Amino acid sequence: MIFDRSFITDIAGDRQDQAIIKAIIDLTKSLEIPIVAEGVETWGQGQLLQHLGCKAIQGYLLTEPLPYSQVIHWSIPRMRLR
């Protein structure tokens, strides 16, 4: 499941967006569905999403859009072993 960027843009100042995101995170966890927040552009957005329980993000905070051929080279050094 992916959080649309429209929820992420004003997350720091919008309590309703925070409540919606938290509820969705809790629901997806209970159903064991992975979730990704897209459009994360600031450190504050990333920190708040992590605090709310979102473990995966994508957006300009991490990197600009990359062609597929560069994604593998970018992501391999950043992967965590579980």
Side-chain angles (χ1 to χ4, degrees):
M1 173 173 245
I2 297 177
F3 278 121
D4 185 70
R5 182 173 186 228
S6 62
F7 287 105
I8 306 305
T9 302
D10 296 322
I11 189 174
D14 190 331
R15 293 287 216 188
Q16 289 181 336
D17 280 353
Q18 291 175 26
I20 291 168
I21 288 171
K22 178 66 173 149
I24 293 171
I25 289 169
D26 291 344
L27 177 63
T28 59
K29 280 184 180 178
S30 69
L31 296 173
E32 298 181 3
I33 298 171
I35 192 161
V36 177
E38 72 174 14
V40 180
E41 296 182 355
T42 69
W43 182 255
Q45 291 169 335
Q47 290 291 332
L48 183 54
L49 286 162
Q50 182 179 20
H51 175 74
L52 293 173
C54 185
K55 304 220 185 270
I57 63 170
Q58 67 182 42
Y60 279 97
L61 176 62
L62 302 175
T63 185
E64 71 280 351
L66 298 172
Y68 178 76
S69 61
Q70 292 179 11
V71 169
I72 300 300
H73 297 293
W74 181 88
S75 62
I76 287 176
R78 290 163 181 82
M79 289 181 167
R80 292 184 188 174
L81 297 176
R82 294 182 183 192

